[in-house]
Amino acid sequence: MKAVILAGGLGTRLSEETEAKPKPLVEIGGRPIIWHIMKIFSAYGVNEFVICLGYKGYLIKEFFVNYSLHLSDVTVDVSSGVIDVHRRRAENWKVSLIETGLNTMTGGRLKRVRDYLGDDDFFLTYGDGVSNIDINNLAAFHKAEGRLATVTAVTPPGRFGALELSGSAVSNFIEKPAGDGASINGGFFVLSPKVIDYIEGDETIWEREPMERLAREGQLSAFHHLGFWQAMDTLRDKNQLEAQWAGGSPPWRVW
């Protein structure tokens, strides 16, 4: 199965970083968050990716074109321009980098990469969220359900700590419990190529009419993930992920 990654948005809520680079290239632990996402998939044998480019997409192209060079030892003959690469280190990834438009919506981006997907079911996720989700279990669940689409349902952590009260006395303090208990779209979809027929064009937002129609028609399953999940929407989120990585045991590191 291939994995499609939406990587074309403006990332305006993380403007401290995204004025200079697209959000998927914002680094956690010295590596772009899109690298972390791809490592999650490749830990389960998914090594073929289709990346939907938009805002500053050329920087993502440059990252992957020079990926092996950046990871390897090299000798450069400055006068001739000849580069000898030593101890080449790179993952066994095949990455298709597709321009899907600067202002194209999420559904439109997916529709634009249809020719690169083939006829098999595929994964789709966002270029800014990490998780310790078991990709194999997700794919097996989708197959068993037999519907056109599966979305991973997650319960985001609360933003603030909570007090447990006994009358006027504080009996306990809970550090950032789950939010209000509602499940939200956590990305990490499994989709049949048939869902692209639900997308009208560039202006279509995947999370609106296509997903709403799939739900109405009984063609959308929810895979409940109870483990770690975190989206990097703001600088605060970025710093939190960075701290977890620096701590040595980031919960999304399944490789």
Side-chain angles (χ1 to χ4, degrees), residues 130-142:
V130 290
S131 175
N132 61 355
I133 184 171
D134 187 314
I135 296 297
N136 288 344
N137 285 347
L138 169 62
F141 174 85
H142 172 77

Side-chain angles (χ1 to χ4, degrees), residues 16 28 53-54 64 81 83 108-109 115 119 144-145 153 165 189 214:
E16 300 90 344
I28 303 297
L53 303 178
F64 284 105
I83 301 175
R109 294 191 190 282
D115 292 343
D119 298 323
E145 290 288 300
L165 300 178
F189 300 89
L214 286 164

Side-chain angles (χ1 to χ4, degrees), residues 28-41:
I28 303 297
R31 295 289 179 88
I33 192 168
I34 195 170
W35 176 88
H36 293 264
I37 295 166
M38 294 167 72
K39 291 289 283 187
I40 294 167
F41 279 103

Side-chain angles (χ1 to χ4, degrees), residues 2-245:
K2 298 179 180 180
V4 178
I5 302 177
L6 296 170
L10 298 177
T12 54
R13 287 183 289 180
L14 192 56
S15 59
E16 300 90 344
E17 295 272 355
T18 56
E19 285 187 2
K21 66 182 73 171
K23 192 200 284 190
L25 288 186
V26 174
E27 293 185 351
I28 303 297
R31 295 289 179 88
I33 192 168
I34 195 170
W35 176 88
H36 293 264
I37 295 166
M38 294 167 72
K39 291 289 283 187
I40 294 167
F41 279 103
S42 66
Y44 294 96
V46 179
N47 291 306
E48 192 164 353
F49 300 91
V50 178
I51 301 179
C52 303
L53 303 178
Y55 174 68
K56 296 186 182 295
Y58 65 92
L59 292 176
I60 298 178
K61 285 181 180 178
E62 289 178 358
F63 172 77
F64 284 105
V65 167
N66 296 304
Y67 184 81
S68 179
L69 185 65
H70 290 165
L71 293 180
S72 303
D73 299 332
V74 299
T75 299
V76 181
D77 187 322
V78 178
S79 62
S80 67
V82 174
I83 301 175
D84 292 324
V85 180
H86 318 289
R87 293 193 300 172
R88 185 182 300 271
R89 295 186 294 271
E91 288 82 0
N92 184 31
W93 293 344
K94 181 179 180 181
V95 186
S96 298
L97 301 152
I98 312 302
E99 295 287 352
T100 58
L102 180 61
N103 298 310
T104 307
M105 298 292 103
T106 49
R109 294 191 190 282
L110 179 56
K111 190 176 184 72
R112 285 205 186 194
V113 301
R114 174 64 183 91
D115 292 343
Y116 300 89
L117 300 180
D119 298 323
D120 296 328
D121 290 354
F122 61 94
F123 297 100
L124 169 70
T125 198
Y126 304 105
D128 63 355
V130 290
S131 175
N132 61 355
I133 184 171
D134 187 314
I135 296 297
N136 288 344
N137 285 347
L138 169 62
F141 174 85
H142 172 77
K143 183 177 181 180
E145 290 288 300
R147 297 187 174 97
L148 294 181
T150 297
V151 58
T152 296
V154 299
T155 302
R159 182 174 178 183
F160 304 104
L163 300 178
E164 283 190 359
L165 300 178
S166 177
S168 61
V170 176
S171 59
N172 194 16
F173 182 81
I174 305 172
E175 178 64 19
K176 297 178 183 177
D180 58 8
S183 295
I184 66 168
N185 165 15
F188 294 96
F189 300 89
V190 186
L191 304 174
S192 162
K194 294 178 182 178
V195 304
I196 297 177
D197 294 336
Y198 288 64
I199 301 170
E200 185 174 346
D202 283 357
E203 301 303 315
T204 303
I205 300 172
W206 164 247
E207 299 81 6
R208 301 278 180 83
E209 178 55 31
M211 286 186 65
E212 292 169 359
R213 181 181 164 194
L214 286 164
R216 288 195 303 269
E217 296 179 1
Q219 289 294 334
L220 180 61
S221 298
F223 176 79
H224 291 275
H225 174 62
L226 302 179
F228 175 83
W229 175 90
Q230 179 67 56
M232 188 183 66
D233 288 327
T234 65
L235 184 60
R236 178 180 178 276
D237 296 330
K238 191 262 187 190
N239 291 338
Q240 181 177 344
L241 292 171
E242 190 74 64
Q244 290 174 318
W245 183 266

